[in-house]
Each structure stands twice: as structure tokens, then as C-alpha cells.
Amino acid sequence: MTEILITARRLVVGPADRTIDDAALVVADGRITACGTRAEVEPTVPDAVRYDFPTGTILPGLIDSHVHLVLGGERDPIAPLLHRTPDTLLRDMIERARQALAAGVTTVRDLGDMHGGAARLRDMIAAQSVSGPRIVAATVPLTCPGGHLAALGGEVASKREIRDRIRRNADMGADLIKVMASGGALTPGGPPMWAAQFDADQLGYIVEQAEEVGLPVAAHAHGTDTIAHCVTAGVRTIEHCSWRTADGLRYDEAVAAAIARRNVAVCRCISGDWRGFLAQLGERNAAALCDAIQRMRRAGVRFIAGTDAGVPGAPFGDYAGMLEFFAAIGFPNGEVIDMATVHAADALGIAGRVGRLETGYEADVLVVDGDPLTDLGSLRKTLLVAARGRIHRNEDIA
């Protein structure tokens, strides 16, 4: 058994307020076997393979809770899918997964693909036949006929179609079910972003059928009324949660309180180019969006971090930029790191395995130059990534 010793100036155990100075971590057989001060740990593994980072910080591998590995970020990311075979799409997905890994992301939750490609890639990465982060895969997202991302193949209308689609996804190896509860921006002619694609009864039925096959539900929901229906239905996470109506943004305090009370996590997807995104919204709408996020935070809503990588303007290699958005609107750095680690692991159902650096956890580890608790920009200075204990330096991720 080869033991690996990683030392650094500081280690973030998780949550971010638990730190160790002059720290050391030992990895063996894909798991963390020791974690503490260098003085305590180093003498116990005299023959270990060493990685020393005297100016670095060791922290849990980052989690991107919302990606689409099948999408390439083109202005129209759907069109290329229609002319590629599943094998060609898989090759593209492998490259995007490697880009995420190089950015320090050791887990991604893929919230919509074609042909179950994300589940297939998940198993390839787990078998170490290719490099990449752990994948939590939703496979084909449910949408209404002609609805948001209908081209991925998940159109359903009747309860029978809903039931059959959920069971097909489960048979493909889905880890969760994704429903496009409201409209989106990538399907010309589909419902607008604020409009409901499923009513309250249908959403409740989707959650019920997902529970029958042991799967949680993530709901894409922009519309204020749809957000309320998702909370009532019992989804595990709400994606975007942007409080849109036909007339603009309408934040609902009672619904936000219910989100917090029921411990529904919110993935308020923001790409690394958040400044450009806010500029496109315009000053008034951008201010309203940031205000809604801050009000949700004050209401006790639990946020998790996601980029929506794969859609236009959201590359796989710029995870840190999304985190910097939350810091820019007033979230403390430690809270932002928790969104990307412990809180995300809990919401994705993988707490106890990843998201913290503790003995017995799977060795998903990131080392950066500097201290992200004082400067989130240090997350762009990746020195080492370990995914399930497999060590990668950036030059090795290819």
C-alpha cells in the first residue's frame, strides 16, 4: 500500500471555520487515513510519497452542483448535439470533465444530457479508465413537449409518460431526476423562463415517482409561482431560483422561509463571467437579482455552488469566478467555500464521503497556492488535485 503525504501551510477541514496550521494529510487506497499538524502526522509515515507546499492551503475538492457535460458552450449549444453520435459526444464530455478537474473540481452534478452519457462517463471515471471528477448524473431531464431542452429527449405530458421516463432514467443509472419545472432560454419557441412547464400536481407526481425508484429531484425553476410549487412538491434542490414573473422579479418572503424550513438547497447558478451576465441584465435587474440572493441568505436559505457549465458563457475551467460573485455581494469567504464543499456534499447526498478532510473520507483534495479564506483568487492557483486519492498535477490532467 503506497501512502501519500501532503503538507501545507494551512488545511481547511470543513466547514471552513475548522482549520489546521502547518498541516499534513495522508492518503492511502483512495481514502484519507490521517489529518492533523505536520508534527503529529509526518513521523507516522516515514516512507510516504511526499508533496510539500509550504505556501499552500489544502482544502476539500470543490463541487460544481450544476453542469451539463454534453453541452459545449456554443452560442447555440443544442445544434451540435443533433449531428454527433453518442460516442462522439462522450469524447467531448471526457475533455470537459478534465477541464473541470484541472480547475480543482472533484465532483460535478450533471443536470441533463442525452443517451445517459453522463452516467456512462461516471462509471468510466470510477474505473479510472479516464481522468475526471466524480459525477452525480441526472441523465435525461424531464420537460414539457417543446419545452426547455426538449432536444435532449425528455418530453413528457401525461402521468404515464412521466412515470416511464423516470424509470428509463433509473434504468440508465441516474443518481437523481431533473425536471425543467419552468421555461428556459435555450429552446426557441419554448415557454418563457418565468412560465410553468408543469403544474403543482404534476410536480408532486414527479417527486412521488422519483421516490419510488429511490431518487431525489432537482428542479430548474425561474418562475416565482413555480418555485413555490417545487417546494410544496418536495424537491431536494432548486436550480436558479430567480423569482421571475411576466412583469419582472417578484421575491416571495413566505416561499423563501419555506425553502429554509424544509432544508431545500438552492443552486443559484452563476458563471465565472458574472460581471458580463449582470451587465446583460441591466443595472435595475442586476440589483434586483443580487438583492433577492441576499434576502434569501438572511432568511436562512442554504446555497450550494454551481456554474451551469456548458451553456453559453459558462466554461468548465472557470469555477473560481462563480465563487467570487458571491464574495462580491457580501458572502464571507468561508461561507462561500462551504457552499462549494460541505453544503454541496450534503445537498447531493454524498456527505460522509466527500466535502470534508477527515479520516475515512474519500480523498478528494485540492491544494492551492495562497489562502482562499482571505483571497478567493488563490483558488485559481491550483497546485495539486486528488480525486478518489488519484493524484493529478495540472500537467498530468490530459
Side-chain angles (χ1 to χ4, degrees), residues 128-274:
Q128 297 191 352
S129 60
V130 298
S131 298
R134 173 184 290 96
I135 296 175
V136 178
T139 66
V140 180
L142 279 66
T143 192
C144 68
H148 183 49
L149 294 185
L152 298 183
E155 293 174 292
V156 293
S158 68
K159 286 189 172 181
R160 179 174 179 176
E161 290 173 342
I162 289 171
R163 180 181 182 276
D164 289 348
R165 179 73 262 172
I166 289 172
R167 277 156 178 74
R168 286 199 299 275
N169 284 1
D171 289 343
M172 283 193 290
D175 298 302
L176 75 155
I177 297 301
K178 169 73 177 298
V179 57
M180 301 299 189
S182 74
L186 296 181
T187 304
M193 296 176 74
W194 55 266
Q197 296 198 154
F198 297 94
D199 62 27
D201 179 63
Q202 289 173 312
L203 289 171
Y205 185 73
I206 288 167
V207 172
E208 173 190 311
Q209 291 302 306
E211 287 176 346
E212 285 199 5
V213 293
L215 301 178
V217 174
H220 161 111
H222 286 288
T224 298
D225 291 341
T226 297
I227 292 167
H229 295 158
C230 288
V231 176
T232 300
V235 304
R236 177 176 285 183
T237 68
I238 297 175
E239 313 303 308
H240 309 294
C241 199
S242 53
W243 306 101
R244 292 175 184 258
T245 71
D247 302 316
L249 185 147
R250 177 171 58 83
Y251 177 77
D252 190 314
E253 291 184 0
V255 175
I259 292 172
R261 185 172 62 252
R262 298 189 182 201
N263 201 30
V264 179
V266 169
C267 188
R268 173 56 264 194
C269 301
I270 297 287
S271 73
D273 183 22
W274 56 270

Side-chain angles (χ1 to χ4, degrees), residues 304-391:
I304 59 177
T307 61
D308 214 356
V311 306
F316 284 89
D318 186 14
Y319 183 87
M322 172 267 300
L323 298 182
E324 289 167 348
F325 162 78
F326 289 94
I329 65 170
F331 284 57
N333 285 8
E335 186 174 336
V336 173
I337 291 171
D338 287 345
M339 287 168 48
T341 54
V342 292
H343 294 334
D346 180 62
L348 272 57
I350 52 177
R353 295 169 54 198
V354 300
R356 302 172 189 260
L357 299 181
E358 295 184 349
T359 300
Y361 273 61
E362 296 179 30
D364 283 11
V365 181
L366 170 63
V367 185
V368 300
D369 191 17
D371 185 356
L373 290 175
T374 58
D375 176 17
L376 281 177
S378 65
L379 293 175
R380 300 179 184 275
K381 303 172 185 177
T382 303
L383 299 174
L384 176 147
V385 182
R388 290 188 175 94
R390 188 179 182 187
I391 301 293

Side-chain angles (χ1 to χ4, degrees), residues 38-55:
R38 188 164 57 87
E40 294 169 335
V41 172
E42 189 176 44
T44 69
V45 287
D47 299 321
V49 175
R50 300 182 62 109
Y51 294 91
D52 298 306
F53 302 101
T55 63

